[in-house]
Amino acid sequence: MSQFELNMQIVDNAHLQPQRDPQFNAEAARQARRFHRTLSGYAPTPIYALDNFARALGVSKVLVKDESQRFDLNAFKMLGGTWAIARLLCKVWQLNIADFSFDAFRQLAHPPLTFATTTDGNHGRGVAWAARALGQKAVIYMPKGSSSARVRHITDLGAECIVTDMNYDDTVRLTQRQAEQHGWHVVQDTAWEGYEEVPRWIMQGYATLADEAVEQMEHPPTHVLLQAGVGAMAAGVLGYLVDHYGPGSVRAIVVEPDRADCLYRSGQQGSIVNVGGEMNTIMAGLACGEPNPLGWPLLRNNVNHFISCEDRVAALGMRVLGNPLGNDARIISGESGAACFGVLASLLHHPQSAALKERLQLTPESRVLVISTEGDTDPQHYREVVWEGKDGITHN
């Protein structure tokens, strides 16, 4: 097998203090999943065991949970948005969340509310989907450089979509100001002072996929790789795993693009570090420079390693998942979805593979869980990477 070296900076977490979190745990996830079960078309997304790849890597199992099959939205994000919107509607109209369903709410014929959010694509699509299904309105802001395909996914669901000339984090602040001015309800998966309840619900909603995964796995994972933008999904899922299996039972690795590696830098320092600039990365869903302060304490306490990687790592992950070894399942994974698997694929080919695996404690007994968080949400770019070799490997 050929060798090549892609840029992956690894930092060990010197502030590791494994412990459960009172906000992000198994019970919160199960409450959200009980709601998700009421949605038409709900089914757990599949987990695939890539046994041929695992043998090549030298581990016992590599398990990939395929979130491209989440409803018809091609990504996991709607899990958080639908749960948060349901909780918000219950709060506004004084309804019992235990009895809430989309069908029952529509029959109440309440005046519509407007939900506003910032998105790189998938979260906004989920918010727009839920708003339409509930007879509500949605205004979606997207950062500079957002693709026309991702805009169209949102407008096709009946939402207003505005692409700004700002990066993600500045667009979040614009959304907040516009919502205050117009009386809209912000549905954002990052938090700030005075805005914590909704992002907490979103993060708890994401953990539905962790509750499913635990049911689907024959044995507990020894490792979990979690991609991160603000860290909302990573914290929601890891909080579940820590609570279910016990603190320190699963070795957690957080993966980010090197152009938006706020959690990697925060992991180095032991406190929140923000990253500015345009953050031009193919991993659009991870192009966030400011960690979610709700999730950061959990990640600081429970993540073993933070990895900052170049775009070619994610591109390699996309290609390998789409062109698997032997009879391993073929998985269509987008740029952000393939980031963590790309790290494993890069380890396989790295000249210092043995040393890197030892550092991450990947052994022949390891069982590794990866979440492919999205499919080809930007089909043109997916083809450019997988068919045309964009961000490819150059051999000397």
Side-chain angles (χ1 to χ4, degrees), residues 53 57 62 225 339-349 362 368 370:
F53 180 85
L57 185 62
V62 172
L225 278 72
C340 292
F341 189 83
V343 167
L344 298 180
S346 299
L347 289 176
L348 183 65
H349 292 276
L362 289 167
V368 186
V370 174

Side-chain angles (χ1 to χ4, degrees), residues 28-313:
R30 289 169 188 150
Q31 185 183 14
R33 189 179 177 194
R34 283 193 290 270
F35 160 75
H36 288 133
R37 289 179 191 272
T38 70
L39 299 178
S40 176
Y42 168 78
T45 54
I47 276 188
Y48 298 110
L50 305 187
D51 291 338
N52 291 294
F53 180 85
R55 279 192 291 272
L57 185 62
V59 299
S60 176
K61 283 286 181 184
V62 172
L63 302 166
V64 181
K65 188 160 175 63
D66 181 9
E67 287 296 305
S68 74
Q69 301 184 51
R70 182 66 66 185
F71 289 85
D72 58 352
L73 295 176
N74 211 7
F76 81 102
K77 281 281 192 173
M78 60 79 62
L79 293 173
T82 53
W83 179 232
I85 286 173
R87 296 294 301 262
L88 257 175
L89 290 171
C90 286
K91 182 178 180 179
V92 169
W93 301 114
Q94 298 185 352
L95 305 172
N96 185 347
I97 187 62
D99 302 326
F100 185 92
S101 73
F102 276 34
D103 290 340
F105 180 81
R106 282 194 301 266
Q107 292 174 11
L108 296 174
H110 287 298
L113 306 178
T114 299
F115 300 108
T117 193
T118 296
T119 184
D120 290 302
N122 295 334
H123 173 64
R125 193 176 183 184
V127 169
W129 182 86
R132 185 175 73 170
L134 288 160
Q136 311 298 296
K137 299 177 181 179
V139 179
I140 313 296
Y141 290 86
M142 300 186 74
K144 180 180 179 181
S146 296
S147 76
S148 58
R150 290 191 168 103
V151 171
R152 189 168 58 253
H153 288 323
I154 290 167
T155 56
D156 284 350
L157 291 167
E160 181 180 358
C161 186
I162 301 159
V163 179
T164 73
D165 60 357
M166 308 172 189
N167 68 19
Y168 175 87
D169 302 290
D170 290 336
T171 303
V172 169
R173 285 182 273 274
L174 172 67
T175 303
Q176 180 188 7
R177 293 193 299 269
Q178 291 295 309
E180 288 175 355
Q181 180 179 337
H182 295 288
W184 301 336
H185 295 265
V186 177
V187 183
Q188 200 66 51
D189 67 351
T190 194
W192 52 84
E193 186 175 351
Y195 183 74
E196 296 183 344
E197 188 174 50
V198 171
R200 182 182 302 114
W201 290 333
I202 291 174
M203 294 164 71
Q204 291 168 341
Y206 291 159
T208 280
L209 70 87
D211 191 51
E212 295 172 357
V214 165
E215 286 183 355
Q216 293 167 315
M217 291 184 289
E218 185 178 357
H219 301 288
T222 61
H223 293 67
V224 61
L225 278 72
L226 297 163
Q227 55 272 72
V230 299
M233 184 280 290
V237 170
L238 184 56
Y240 180 98
L241 297 176
V242 169
D243 189 34
H244 182 81
Y245 292 120
S249 297
V250 181
R251 194 165 197 84
I253 302 166
V254 163
V255 177
E256 292 176 289
D258 56 8
R259 297 173 185 173
D261 55 0
C262 55
L263 288 168
Y264 169 85
R265 300 188 194 197
S266 300
Q268 285 180 308
Q269 185 163 306
S271 58
I272 286 180
V273 176
N274 293 336
V275 176
E278 293 194 0
M279 294 176 279
N280 293 324
T281 170
I282 66 168
M283 293 170 265
L286 309 181
C288 311
E290 299 180 14
N292 184 331
L294 284 182
W296 166 245
L298 187 151
L299 297 176
R300 179 198 60 213
N301 291 336
N302 294 287
V303 171
N304 298 85
H305 311 280
F306 295 90
I307 296 180
S308 170
C309 67
E310 63 169 305
D311 281 357
R312 289 190 298 168
V313 171

